[in-house]
Amino acid sequence: MSIESPLMETLVREIRNFDDQLKFTPPPHSQIVGRQKCITRIVEELRPKNGYPVLASSELSKIIIVGMPGVDGLIPDHHDWDIFHTPRKFGANDSKIIIITRYQSLASLIPGTSLPYPLDPLSEDDSWQLFSARAFQTEHYSSNPEFAALGWEIVNHRCGGLPFVINTLADYLSSKPHVNSWYDVLATPVVASAPPQSTILSSLEQTYQQLSSYSKCCFTFCSMFPKGFEFQKEDISLLWLSAGLLPPPLVGQRLEDVGRAHFDELVSAHFLLQPNKDKSTFVMHDLIFDLAQYLFKQTCSLMKEDAIRSISEKLSHVCSVCVNPFRTLLSFTGKKFQLPEELLNDIFTELLDLWVLRLSHFDIVRLPDSIGQLLHLTYLDLSHSSIQELPAPICQLSNLKTFLLLHCLGLSKLPSEFVGLLELCYFDNDGTPLKQMPVGMSRLKNLCRLTNFIVSTTGGSSIEELASLLTLQTLCISELQNIVADDASSAKLEKKSSLDELVLQWSNGKCNNYSEHAAIVLENLRPPTNLKNLSIKNYGGIGFPNWLIDHSFPNIVFLRLSNCKQCSQLPPLGEMPSLKDLIIEGLDLVTKIGSEFYGRNISSLARPFPSLKTLTFETMLGLE
């Protein structure tokens, strides 16, 4: 039985490199497959003529079933899969079932499955080969080089390596002998009502309808971003949370975990793709972007820089409750576009119902006092702006939960009233040269993320105030050379059971003069045992703390030791059972890496670093 799908052909070819004694049962060729029809067909293909028990091992030594659950609501329940597995029970023990599906999450519903194997979009060459084989079926096309040039443009700019789209467009164009039709396909958005776009749109809408109601809202929100925008999971999850698009968390579940789950659902449905596996960013495929714009053009607006004054009060992001009034204002400027204070004042006084305000990368020196009128604001992003001073009224935003101030190079001080933002959960000031934290940080009981707590000798908040912040999940403490050594334990980091990520940092260039002091400070900053990510930077002690050596951190998956200039020996890290990524850089006094690096109990270990995936050594100038 032939297998026409290019993805199936690729999969079959790869599998047969390992074993050519395989039997394949492809799914029916029709695009819409009912659940019972699909399962009945596959079971009948496997059913021997005399009933299940007569199957010989030689007949069923390696049976691989290729199916496509997830199409047209085909999400099998456990009873379906019991039927599905019955024929296998009478074959060889090493028989297999392989399922091709658009939904990665489906794997978790199927008993006994291994980790899913993601299939990437087709390469340019494979896409062109598939397109040309179906579109150029007569000499009329092959004899005219203009068709080939247009076909190449269509493949690269309209198909995105997706076989279904390639086949649909190629089949349509194979019956269009005039180049004008080809130009129309290249220029017409996929959401157009005429064929072949309508066929593609119908398939995409089926996938959209299978999303959960909350994920549909989250997808709606993503339609406000420009084409090609790179999404970070943590960033977009915070936006969804601030816009009120997420359901309340279950008992014991974190709010940000709810956002991650809905992000993963969009990834599973291929509405968000990860083009570079080495990067943590995701993008929306052009076809999906066209769908989003089509579905939500009445509720979302992309504003040009020169038209920012023309904000339509009829446009808003869609949420579960209502459409109006305008609640979200996002900016996407790639340069330092100037935004005068007078214009900002107009925006703030007219859009009093804003929940989400993103003004990153703008040339804004100061915000008008009228920002204090945005009492519904839950999300404020001023990252990479030219802001030099925050007005005191900004601290009247009693509902503000997320405040992003990344890389604001002109800002050196927070207003003293900052500690009045009692609902603040996420404060990110990484890369902003603040001199100190305002007194009273202990009042911010809801803080989950604090990316740079600066220890100062000239006043400001003391490290003791961290003791009251029990909900912290991400924390960086910098300028640790300024701390009184015995005061370090007053932060009570060990008691912070929610803390996942911790960065401990001394000022670069000053660590050499604080060897004994640094050792005491680091010893007293013992983190909780459930910590997952740890970075120690510019540490000036001659040895690492006992708590890092005694292997009491079974959950650490990421560890960075950076510019620890006085350390001549690496700590024994090989016994950390969960450690996946280890980065060691700038330890210039280390001359060799011996067996002690593997751990003190090396003789009893099956192998050191049992979970390690990446090990990086950089600028180790003393290594022999």
Side-chain angles (χ1 to χ4, degrees), residues 161-175:
L162 301 181
F164 165 70
V165 178
I166 296 171
N167 287 338
T168 301
L169 295 181
D171 290 344
Y172 173 79
L173 292 172
S174 65
S175 61

Side-chain angles (χ1 to χ4, degrees), residues 46 81 91 164 209 226 235 246 249 267 295 336 448 461 490 529 576:
L46 292 174
W81 287 109
F164 165 70
Q209 292 300 334
D235 295 343
L246 299 177
V267 172
L295 293 175
K336 282 291 182 75
C448 297
S461 187
S490 65
T529 56
M576 287 186 172

Side-chain angles (χ1 to χ4, degrees), residues 131 150-162 165-166 169 182-192 197 200 227 285-287 290:
F131 178 87
L150 285 170
W152 182 258
E153 290 293 314
I154 290 171
V155 166
N156 286 295
H157 294 101
R158 306 304 295 165
C159 298
L162 301 181
V165 178
I166 296 171
L169 295 181
W182 292 59
Y183 277 112
D184 289 343
V185 168
L186 184 60
T188 305
V190 72
V191 297
Q197 284 85 354
I200 300 171
K227 183 175 288 190
H285 190 282
D286 285 358
L287 299 174
D290 288 345

Side-chain angles (χ1 to χ4, degrees), residues 9 60 203 365 441 469 511:
E9 291 177 354
L60 195 56
S203 175
V365 176
M441 289 292 292
L469 307 182
C511 60

